[in-house]
Amino acid sequence: MMALTPPRPAAALFGTFDVANYGDLLFPHVAARLLGLGPGELRCYSPRGGAPGWADCWPASAVSAFADDPAPVLCLIGGGNIIHASPTPLPDYAGAFARSDFTYASLWLGASILAAQAGTRLAWNAPGVPFPVEGGWARRLRDLAVPAADHVALRDEASRVFLGAPAGPVEVVPDTALTLSAVWPPATLLDSAQAAFDSRGIAQPARWIAVHLNDRYIGGDLRVACMAVNRIAARLQAVPVLLAIGPCHGDDALARQALSFIDRPALLVDQPQGLREIAGLIAHAEAYIGSSLHGLITALSYRRPGIAVARTRMVKFLGFLEPLGEAARLQESWEDAAALSTDLLRPLSPDACARLDQAAARIEAHGATLRRLLAAVSPPAVVAARVALLRAVSAEPAAFPAWSQLRQAVSGAPRPPETAEDQAAILALALRGPADEALRARIAAARARWPQHLRLALLEAEWLQRAGQVAAARQRLVALCEQHAGNPWPAVRLVRLLAAESEAEAARALHRQRLAGAVLPVAVQQELAALLRDPG
């Protein structure tokens, strides 16, 4: 019997769909509606691939798997703030590629190469460019990749400026998530909003406000930000709903900390169940206030008033708001947001709704262009540009070595074998993020591969402590102290753990026994001295 050939997808979408960040995870749903495609007809690709652990998310494969999958008719880049080639600090992407600056580059430069190799059409689905494209290799490759696209749309004027001046027209289309209310009409989200309260043992209130906090925009004082939330909630006579819209950025931990500063009953959604839950809590709120652009976009899509709290130099906020005549909705501090909330959180005016309707119509026109590309033939100039792109990245030696390296990386070429120390460095970076089960599995796999490597064992103990399994972490560190009696680092970690658990005397005794004469960096010596100082 002949093996069945997997169905050929109509479109492939490139973006960050493998991390727990609400806004990025909306784009597959929005793109599928704009294209008129179902789940089997749209395949998503992300730097690492995999699921972020929320419901309602489109499955994503690794970019490097694209070359082995059936070729689509159309490749789409974005949306999201993904058009750059800078290294990423996100722990989720640590080690996704041999070079950190390939992580986001894979989603547009890499996608351009893959589309050219597969002979498929290519369009930019209104992504954002957060800053001028940096790095000589990326700028030069940009000039080859952009003309190889059948259609290029960016989400704001700043992105068009930051991209540069490549050949061919670049359209500006509002962030496509503004049409979310057409994907999930408000009535379809009522049950999700109700379930958010029910599942956490709280009766659904008559009025609530959706609140998102991000530590980049709280001015260094969470208490002050929460006092502003309290004033807004009192003014609107509404229950605050603390939403962790981007756990990949630490929003979940911050929401938990914030709850202690809220002076009224509140709903904590530090572990959202899925995208519809977040969307429902915003769509049916009295208002939204927070530091997520897509939190604000969701509110405006459902015609709810909102305020963004962020720095004006983050061009994506004003890039979205200024064309709508709503620049005042961006405030740089929570105190300013609270002071202006009486005006800014009133129901949207008919003029504001009309401008939103006009923006949505521009997105629908963009969608019509994308649908035409599903059946169109690429112009000769675009075909020639793809040939030039492939010739450049395939040259031996390439004009820039990074070009051929990127081509090999996104095509799934085998990477050089990594060392235990390489893997430990990657996992140490990942531990700056949430200590979740996915990270534990990665650490366990590394430990199985290099069972005698001390740093990996210490990282395993750190994960246990971060995950609240303090007794297991302590037991592991005690064993490592005995197994590596001549190495001071297990004792350093154990002293830190004991001090954190308020076992000061035990920490001092261990320090005297194991670390009194140890050679340690000055910064570590000073840290331990501060931890062990007798407050009396």
Side-chain angles (χ1 to χ4, degrees), residues 174-507:
D175 191 299
T176 59
L178 186 61
T179 60
L180 182 63
S181 55
V183 178
W184 295 324
T188 67
L189 296 176
L190 277 170
D191 288 346
S192 298
Q194 174 73 59
F197 289 95
D198 291 346
S199 64
R200 293 168 178 87
I202 297 177
Q204 181 175 317
R207 299 162 62 89
W208 70 84
I209 55 171
V211 178
H212 166 252
L213 295 158
N214 183 288
D215 61 6
R216 290 177 292 178
Y217 307 119
I218 59 173
D221 194 331
L222 179 59
R223 182 185 62 84
V224 170
C226 291
M227 288 174 61
V229 173
N230 290 334
R231 291 198 297 275
I232 295 169
R235 187 172 295 144
L236 294 177
Q237 298 182 351
V239 170
V241 174
L242 303 180
L243 285 172
I245 284 178
C248 70
H249 297 299
D251 292 355
D252 50 344
L254 191 66
R256 290 190 289 271
Q257 295 171 32
L259 189 62
S260 63
F261 296 110
I262 301 299
D263 64 3
R264 63 196 60 248
L267 177 68
L268 173 64
V269 186
D270 58 333
Q271 297 180 343
Q273 298 303 303
L275 302 180
R276 290 173 60 89
E277 178 178 79
I278 297 173
L281 288 169
I282 297 174
H284 293 284
E286 292 300 307
Y288 165 85
I289 179 167
S291 300
S292 163
L293 173 62
H294 286 100
L296 178 67
I297 289 175
T298 297
L300 295 177
S301 179
Y302 289 98
R303 304 304 187 258
R304 314 306 296 170
I307 302 175
V309 182
R311 292 184 289 272
T312 54
R313 68 174 181 268
M314 294 289 290
V315 297
K316 63 181 183 179
F317 290 95
L318 285 178
F320 173 74
L321 289 169
E322 281 184 332
L324 295 172
E326 299 289 344
R329 294 192 182 278
L330 175 63
Q331 296 297 316
E332 290 214 342
S333 75
W334 282 86
E335 296 96 320
D336 291 343
L340 295 171
S341 61
T342 299
D343 291 330
L344 293 177
L345 298 185
R346 289 174 177 164
L348 298 183
S349 69
D351 286 346
C353 290
R355 291 191 294 270
L356 288 168
D357 290 342
Q358 292 166 4
R362 290 171 60 198
I363 297 170
E364 296 298 337
H366 166 71
T369 298
L370 298 182
R371 289 193 297 276
R372 286 194 293 272
L373 288 177
L374 290 172
V377 176
S378 296
V382 172
V383 175
R386 288 180 191 148
V387 172
L389 171 63
L390 288 180
R391 184 181 299 121
V393 299
S394 303
E396 291 293 345
F400 290 90
W403 293 3
S404 58
Q405 293 169 10
L406 177 63
R407 178 182 62 82
Q408 292 168 3
V410 298
S411 299
R415 289 173 51 180
E418 62 192 7
T419 66
E421 198 57 37
D422 290 337
Q423 188 61 231
I426 289 168
L427 292 171
L429 181 62
L431 264 170
R432 297 179 188 175
D436 55 20
E437 287 299 322
L439 179 55
R440 183 177 192 176
R442 291 170 60 191
I443 294 173
R447 290 277 292 127
R449 186 174 177 185
W450 296 288
Q452 303 305 317
H453 194 265
L454 175 58
R455 190 179 179 195
L456 289 172
L458 292 173
L459 290 172
E460 180 180 52
E462 182 179 348
W463 186 94
L464 291 168
Q465 183 179 356
R466 288 269 316 281
Q469 300 179 38
V470 178
R474 180 172 182 167
Q475 183 179 16
R476 187 78 185 104
L477 289 172
V478 168
L480 291 173
C481 284
E482 297 306 316
Q483 294 168 14
H484 301 271
N487 191 306
W489 288 105
V492 169
R493 298 292 183 91
L494 185 53
V495 166
R496 289 171 175 163
L497 183 149
L498 292 170
E501 293 299 305
S502 301
E503 297 187 42
E505 287 304 321

Side-chain angles (χ1 to χ4, degrees), residues 23-42:
D24 294 301
L25 295 168
L26 294 177
F27 289 117
H29 294 279
V30 174
R33 192 195 72 84
L34 289 175
L35 288 165
L37 301 179
E41 299 171 304
L42 177 68

Side-chain angles (χ1 to χ4, degrees), residues 5-18:
T5 302
R8 184 184 189 191
L13 182 66
F14 291 80
T16 51
F17 314 127
D18 51 355

Side-chain angles (χ1 to χ4, degrees), residues 85 87 95-104 137 401-403 405-406 409 415:
F97 291 95
R99 290 179 49 156
S100 181
D101 56 349
F102 284 177
T103 303
Y104 279 83
W137 74 268
W403 293 3
Q405 293 169 10
L406 177 63
R415 289 173 51 180

